[in-house]
Amino acid sequence: MLIKEKNQLKVDDRLKHIAFIMDGNGRWAKSRLLPRKVGHKFGAENFKKVVRLCFEAGIKAVTVYAFSTENWSRPKDEIDSIIALLKEYIEAVKQEKDVRVVFIGDKTSLPESLSSIMIKAEEETKHRPLYLYIAFNYGGRAEIVKACNELIAEGKAIISEADISSHVYTNEMSDPDLIVRTAGEYRISNFLLWQSAYSEFYFTNVYWPDFDRKELYKAIENFYTRKRRYGGLNKDEE
Ligand code: FPP
């Protein structure tokens, strides 16, 4: 059941894990005649607020798409600005009390100066209860291939769905119940391909930096109107 008290939403176990494709930072900046990197700066500020709001609402895990394996084709200046924001956030998250940060994606091909601080932050926060998965240098297909290769290396000749689920980066949490994409695009963009098999999707035209408490609550309230069937029928439909 979804509870709303004094402008505060509280979710139950139906919504344990939420994921965001934080799209529209560039267009948000362009519409204000600002450089794209300013859009990312406001996007990063908003990311912190939205993550906090999700945890305050009782959600146990949040996954965000910060940088895909395809994003390296962007101008160097823009990439550098996103990496700088990530580094700032890595410092900030260590000061939190309850957030456990896990970076999902290929760390092995990142500069050592970045991967080492990511690993250190994961280590320092690993006893905390709330999961924050940050997808960085992440690709969903590559994640599935990685899982299969690990299973082959373990000597598996036949691979089950459960095997792959236990080898994707988010294996300690259940799959996302809800995936939100901002900025009016209706695609998955190689995000959580394995984990999204039964996720509910919510799309909004709002650019990520403008996705505030009101918009988040709209997405959650909309999620609570959905009937999740997982390919079957609900009791009232039999
Ligand atoms: C998509 O907007 C956004 C990104 C590729 C980067 C997301 C990064 C942040 C929110 C900031 C850094 C994150 C952390 C975790 C500190 P876009 O640039 O594709 O926007 P557009 O489609 O309008 O051009």
Side-chain angles (χ1 to χ4, degrees), residues 21-29 36 39-45 47-48 64-68 71 74 78 81-90 103 134 136 181 183 185 207-208:
I21 302 179
M22 309 183 287
D23 200 5
N25 292 343
R27 278 166 282 168
W28 181 91
R36 293 178 58 81
H40 294 312
K41 185 174 159 43
F42 278 81
E45 283 308 313
F47 145 79
K48 287 184 238 171
V64 294
Y65 207 0
F67 198 84
S68 74
N71 286 148
R74 294 193 178 203
E78 182 174 345
S81 73
I82 296 175
I83 292 178
L85 290 164
L86 182 73
K87 285 184 173 168
E88 260 175 48
Y89 183 68
I90 290 174
F103 293 97
I134 299 184
F136 196 92
R181 182 168 190 151
E185 310 289 354
Y207 294 148
W208 176 255

Coordinates of all heavy atoms in Angstrom, one line a residue, residues 21-29 36 39-45 47-48 64-68 71 74 78 81-90 103 134 136 181 183 185 207-208, ligand 1:
I21 N 16.8 6.6 -15.8 CA 17.6 7.0 -16.9 C 17.5 8.5 -16.9 O 16.4 9.1 -17.2 CB 17.1 6.4 -18.3 CG1 17.1 4.9 -18.2 CG2 17.9 6.9 -19.4 CD1 16.6 4.1 -19.4
M22 N 18.5 9.2 -16.5 CA 18.5 10.6 -16.1 C 18.8 11.4 -17.4 O 19.9 11.9 -17.6 CB 19.6 10.9 -15.1 CG 19.5 10.0 -13.8 SD 20.7 10.5 -12.6 CE 22.3 9.9 -13.3
D23 N 17.8 11.5 -18.3 CA 18.0 12.1 -19.6 C 17.5 13.5 -19.6 O 16.6 13.9 -18.9 CB 17.2 11.2 -20.6 CG 17.8 11.4 -22.0 OD1 18.8 12.1 -22.2 OD2 17.2 10.9 -23.0
G24 N 18.2 14.3 -20.5 CA 17.7 15.7 -20.8 C 18.5 16.8 -20.2 O 18.2 17.9 -20.2
N25 N 19.7 16.4 -19.6 CA 20.5 17.5 -19.0 C 21.0 18.5 -20.1 O 21.0 19.7 -19.9 CB 21.8 16.9 -18.4 CG 21.5 16.1 -17.2 OD1 20.5 16.1 -16.6 ND2 22.5 15.2 -16.8
G26 N 21.4 17.9 -21.3 CA 21.8 18.8 -22.3 C 20.7 19.7 -22.8 O 21.0 20.9 -23.0
R27 N 19.5 19.2 -23.1 CA 18.4 20.0 -23.6 C 18.0 21.0 -22.5 O 17.6 22.1 -22.9 CB 17.3 19.1 -24.0 CG 17.4 18.5 -25.4 CD 16.5 17.4 -25.6 NE 16.9 16.2 -25.0 CZ 16.2 15.1 -24.9 NH1 14.9 15.1 -25.3 NH2 16.7 14.0 -24.3
W28 N 18.1 20.6 -21.3 CA 17.7 21.6 -20.2 C 18.6 22.8 -20.3 O 18.2 23.9 -20.2 CB 17.9 20.8 -18.8 CG 17.5 21.7 -17.6 CD1 16.3 21.8 -17.0 CD2 18.4 22.5 -16.9 NE1 16.4 22.6 -15.9 CE2 17.7 23.1 -15.8 CE3 19.8 22.8 -17.0 CZ2 18.2 24.0 -14.9 CZ3 20.3 23.7 -16.1 CH2 19.6 24.3 -15.1
A29 N 19.9 22.5 -20.5 CA 20.9 23.6 -20.5 C 20.7 24.4 -21.8 O 20.7 25.7 -21.7 CB 22.3 23.0 -20.5
R36 N 26.3 22.5 -22.1 CA 25.8 21.2 -21.7 C 26.3 20.8 -20.3 O 25.6 20.2 -19.6 CB 26.2 20.2 -22.7 CG 25.5 20.3 -24.1 CD 26.0 19.2 -25.0 NE 25.7 17.9 -24.5 CZ 24.6 17.3 -24.6 NH1 23.6 17.9 -25.2 NH2 24.4 16.1 -24.1
G39 N 24.2 21.7 -17.6 CA 23.1 20.8 -17.4 C 23.5 19.6 -16.6 O 22.7 19.2 -15.7
H40 N 24.7 19.1 -16.8 CA 25.1 17.9 -16.0 C 25.3 18.3 -14.5 O 25.0 17.5 -13.6 CB 26.4 17.3 -16.6 CG 26.2 16.7 -17.9 ND1 25.1 15.9 -18.2 CD2 26.9 16.9 -19.1 CE1 25.2 15.5 -19.5 NE2 26.2 16.1 -20.0
K41 N 25.8 19.6 -14.3 CA 26.0 20.0 -12.9 C 24.6 20.0 -12.2 O 24.5 19.5 -11.1 CB 26.6 21.4 -12.9 CG 27.0 21.9 -11.5 CD 27.8 23.2 -11.6 CE 27.7 24.0 -10.3 NZ 27.9 23.2 -9.1
F42 N 23.6 20.6 -12.9 CA 22.3 20.7 -12.2 C 21.7 19.3 -12.2 O 21.0 18.9 -11.2 CB 21.4 21.6 -13.0 CG 21.6 23.1 -12.6 CD1 22.6 23.8 -13.1 CD2 20.8 23.7 -11.7 CE1 22.9 25.1 -12.7 CE2 21.0 25.0 -11.2 CZ 22.0 25.7 -11.8
G43 N 22.0 18.4 -13.2 CA 21.6 17.0 -13.2 C 22.1 16.3 -12.0 O 21.4 15.5 -11.3
A44 N 23.4 16.5 -11.7 CA 24.0 15.8 -10.5 C 23.4 16.3 -9.2 O 23.2 15.5 -8.3 CB 25.5 16.1 -10.6
E45 N 23.1 17.6 -9.1 CA 22.5 18.1 -7.9 C 21.1 17.5 -7.7 O 20.7 17.0 -6.6 CB 22.3 19.7 -8.0 CG 23.5 20.5 -7.8 CD 24.2 20.1 -6.4 OE1 23.5 20.0 -5.4 OE2 25.4 19.9 -6.5
F47 N 20.1 14.6 -9.0 CA 20.3 13.2 -8.7 C 20.4 13.0 -7.1 O 19.8 12.1 -6.6 CB 21.6 12.7 -9.4 CG 22.4 11.7 -8.7 CD1 22.1 10.4 -8.7 CD2 23.6 12.1 -8.1 CE1 22.8 9.4 -8.0 CE2 24.4 11.1 -7.4 CZ 24.0 9.8 -7.4
K48 N 21.2 13.8 -6.5 CA 21.3 13.7 -5.0 C 20.0 13.8 -4.3 O 19.6 13.1 -3.4 CB 22.3 14.7 -4.4 CG 23.8 14.5 -4.8 CD 24.7 15.5 -4.2 CE 25.5 16.2 -5.2 NZ 26.3 17.3 -4.8
V64 N 21.0 4.3 -10.9 CA 20.9 5.5 -11.9 C 21.9 5.2 -13.0 O 23.0 4.6 -12.8 CB 21.3 6.8 -11.2 CG1 20.3 7.2 -10.2 CG2 22.7 6.8 -10.6
Y65 N 21.5 5.7 -14.2 CA 22.4 5.5 -15.4 C 23.2 6.8 -15.5 O 22.6 7.8 -16.0 CB 21.5 5.3 -16.6 CG 22.1 4.6 -17.8 CD1 23.4 4.1 -17.8 CD2 21.3 4.3 -18.9 CE1 23.9 3.3 -18.8 CE2 21.8 3.6 -20.0 CZ 23.1 3.1 -19.9 OH 23.6 2.4 -21.0
A66 N 24.4 6.8 -15.1 CA 25.2 8.0 -15.1 C 26.1 8.1 -16.4 O 26.3 9.3 -16.9 CB 26.2 8.1 -13.9
F67 N 26.6 7.0 -16.9 CA 27.4 7.1 -18.1 C 27.5 5.7 -18.8 O 27.8 4.7 -18.2 CB 28.9 7.4 -17.6 CG 29.7 7.9 -18.7 CD1 29.7 9.3 -19.1 CD2 30.6 7.1 -19.4 CE1 30.5 9.8 -20.1 CE2 31.5 7.6 -20.4 CZ 31.4 8.9 -20.8
S68 N 27.1 5.7 -20.0 CA 27.0 4.4 -20.8 C 28.4 4.2 -21.5 O 29.2 5.1 -21.7 CB 25.9 4.4 -21.8 OG 26.2 5.2 -22.9
N71 N 28.7 6.6 -24.2 CA 28.9 8.0 -23.9 C 30.3 8.5 -24.2 O 30.6 9.7 -24.2 CB 28.5 8.4 -22.5 CG 27.0 8.4 -22.3 OD1 26.5 8.1 -21.2 ND2 26.2 8.7 -23.4
R74 N 31.2 11.3 -26.8 CA 30.9 12.8 -26.5 C 32.1 13.6 -26.5 O 33.2 13.0 -26.2 CB 30.1 12.9 -25.2 CG 28.7 12.3 -25.4 CD 27.8 12.6 -24.2 NE 26.5 12.0 -24.4 CZ 25.4 12.4 -23.9 NH1 25.4 13.5 -23.2 NH2 24.3 11.8 -24.1
E78 N 32.9 17.5 -22.2 CA 31.7 17.1 -21.5 C 31.9 15.8 -20.7 O 31.5 15.7 -19.5 CB 30.6 16.8 -22.6 CG 29.3 16.4 -22.0 CD 28.2 16.2 -23.0 OE1 28.3 16.7 -24.1 OE2 27.1 15.6 -22.6
S81 N 33.6 16.8 -17.5 CA 32.7 17.4 -16.5 C 31.9 16.3 -15.8 O 31.7 16.5 -14.6 CB 31.8 18.5 -17.2 OG 30.8 17.9 -18.0
I82 N 31.5 15.3 -16.5 CA 30.7 14.2 -15.8 C 31.6 13.5 -14.9 O 31.2 13.2 -13.7 CB 30.0 13.3 -16.9 CG1 29.0 14.0 -17.7 CG2 29.4 12.1 -16.2 CD1 28.4 13.2 -18.9
I83 N 32.8 13.2 -15.3 CA 33.8 12.5 -14.4 C 34.0 13.3 -13.1 O 34.1 12.8 -12.0 CB 35.1 12.1 -15.1 CG1 34.7 11.0 -16.2 CG2 36.1 11.6 -14.1 CD1 35.9 10.5 -17.0
A84 N 34.2 14.6 -13.3 CA 34.5 15.5 -12.2 C 33.3 15.5 -11.2 O 33.4 15.4 -10.0 CB 34.7 16.9 -12.6
L85 N 32.1 15.5 -11.7 CA 30.9 15.4 -10.9 C 30.8 14.1 -10.1 O 30.4 14.1 -9.0 CB 29.6 15.6 -11.7 CG 29.4 17.0 -12.3 CD1 28.4 17.0 -13.4 CD2 29.0 18.0 -11.2
L86 N 31.2 13.1 -10.8 CA 31.2 11.7 -10.2 C 32.2 11.7 -9.0 O 31.9 11.2 -7.9 CB 31.5 10.7 -11.2 CG 31.5 9.3 -10.7 CD1 30.0 8.8 -10.4 CD2 32.1 8.3 -11.6
K87 N 33.3 12.3 -9.3 CA 34.4 12.3 -8.2 C 33.9 13.1 -7.0 O 34.1 12.7 -5.9 CB 35.7 12.9 -8.8 CG 36.4 11.9 -9.7 CD 37.8 12.5 -10.1 CE 38.6 11.4 -10.9 NZ 39.7 12.0 -11.5
E88 N 33.2 14.2 -7.3 CA 32.7 15.0 -6.2 C 31.7 14.2 -5.4 O 31.7 14.2 -4.2 CB 31.9 16.2 -6.8 CG 32.7 17.5 -6.7 CD 31.8 18.6 -7.4 OE1 30.6 18.7 -7.1 OE2 32.4 19.3 -8.3
Y89 N 30.8 13.4 -6.1 CA 29.8 12.7 -5.4 C 30.4 11.5 -4.6 O 30.0 11.2 -3.5 CB 28.8 12.1 -6.4 CG 27.7 11.4 -5.6 CD1 26.8 12.1 -4.8 CD2 27.6 10.0 -5.7 CE1 25.9 11.5 -4.0 CE2 26.7 9.4 -4.9 CZ 25.8 10.1 -4.0 OH 24.9 9.4 -3.3
I90 N 31.5 10.9 -5.1 CA 32.1 9.8 -4.4 C 32.6 10.3 -3.0 O 32.5 9.7 -2.0 CB 33.3 9.2 -5.2 CG1 32.7 8.5 -6.5 CG2 34.2 8.3 -4.4 CD1 33.7 8.0 -7.4
F103 N 29.2 0.6 -7.9 CA 29.4 1.1 -9.3 C 29.2 -0.1 -10.2 O 29.9 -1.1 -10.1 CB 30.7 1.7 -9.5 CG 30.8 3.0 -8.7 CD1 31.5 3.0 -7.5 CD2 30.3 4.2 -9.2 CE1 31.5 4.2 -6.7 CE2 30.3 5.3 -8.5 CZ 30.9 5.4 -7.3
I134 N 25.3 2.9 -9.1 CA 25.6 4.0 -10.1 C 26.2 3.3 -11.3 O 27.3 2.7 -11.3 CB 26.6 5.0 -9.6 CG1 25.9 5.7 -8.3 CG2 26.9 6.0 -10.7 CD1 26.8 6.9 -7.8
F136 N 28.1 3.3 -14.5 CA 29.1 4.1 -15.1 C 30.0 3.3 -16.0 O 30.5 2.2 -15.5 CB 30.0 4.8 -14.0 CG 30.7 6.0 -14.5 CD1 30.2 7.3 -14.5 CD2 32.0 5.8 -15.1 CE1 30.9 8.3 -15.1 CE2 32.7 6.8 -15.7 CZ 32.2 8.1 -15.6
R181 N 12.3 7.0 -17.1 CA 13.1 7.7 -18.0 C 12.5 9.1 -18.3 O 11.4 9.3 -18.6 CB 13.2 7.0 -19.4 CG 14.1 7.7 -20.3 CD 14.5 7.0 -21.6 NE 15.6 7.7 -22.2 CZ 16.6 7.2 -23.0 NH1 16.6 5.9 -23.2 NH2 17.5 7.9 -23.6
A183 N 12.8 13.1 -20.0 CA 13.1 13.9 -21.3 C 12.5 13.3 -22.5 O 13.0 13.5 -23.6 CB 14.6 14.0 -21.4
E185 N 12.2 10.5 -24.2 CA 12.6 9.4 -25.1 C 12.0 8.1 -24.6 O 11.9 7.8 -23.4 CB 14.1 9.2 -25.1 CG 14.9 10.5 -25.3 CD 14.8 11.1 -26.7 OE1 14.2 10.4 -27.6 OE2 15.3 12.2 -26.9
Y207 N 12.6 17.3 -18.2 CA 14.1 17.1 -18.3 C 14.6 16.7 -16.9 O 14.1 17.2 -15.9 CB 14.8 18.3 -18.7 CG 14.5 18.7 -20.2 CD1 14.5 20.1 -20.5 CD2 14.3 17.8 -21.1 CE1 14.2 20.5 -21.9 CE2 14.0 18.2 -22.5 CZ 14.0 19.5 -22.8 OH 13.7 19.8 -24.1
W208 N 15.7 15.9 -16.8 CA 16.1 15.4 -15.6 C 16.4 16.5 -14.5 O 15.9 16.3 -13.3 CB 17.4 14.5 -15.7 CG 17.9 14.1 -14.4 CD1 19.0 14.6 -13.7 CD2 17.3 13.2 -13.5 NE1 19.2 14.0 -12.5 CE2 18.1 13.1 -12.3 CE3 16.2 12.4 -13.5 CZ2 17.8 12.3 -11.2 CZ3 15.9 11.6 -12.4 CH2 16.7 11.5 -11.3
Ligands
FPP1 C1 21.8 12.3 -20.2 O1 21.5 13.6 -20.6 C2 22.7 12.4 -19.1 C3 23.9 11.9 -19.1 C4 24.6 11.2 -20.2 C5 24.8 12.0 -17.9 C6 24.1 11.9 -16.6 C7 24.9 12.5 -15.6 C8 24.5 13.2 -14.5 C9 23.1 13.3 -14.0 C10 25.6 13.9 -13.7 C11 26.6 13.0 -13.0 C12 26.1 11.9 -12.3 C13 26.5 11.5 -11.1 C14 26.0 10.2 -10.6 C15 27.3 12.3 -10.2 P1 22.0 14.1 -22.0 O2 23.3 14.8 -21.9 O3 22.0 13.0 -23.0 O4 20.8 15.1 -22.4 P2 20.2 15.4 -23.8 O5 19.6 14.2 -24.3 O6 19.2 16.5 -23.5 O7 21.4 15.9 -24.6

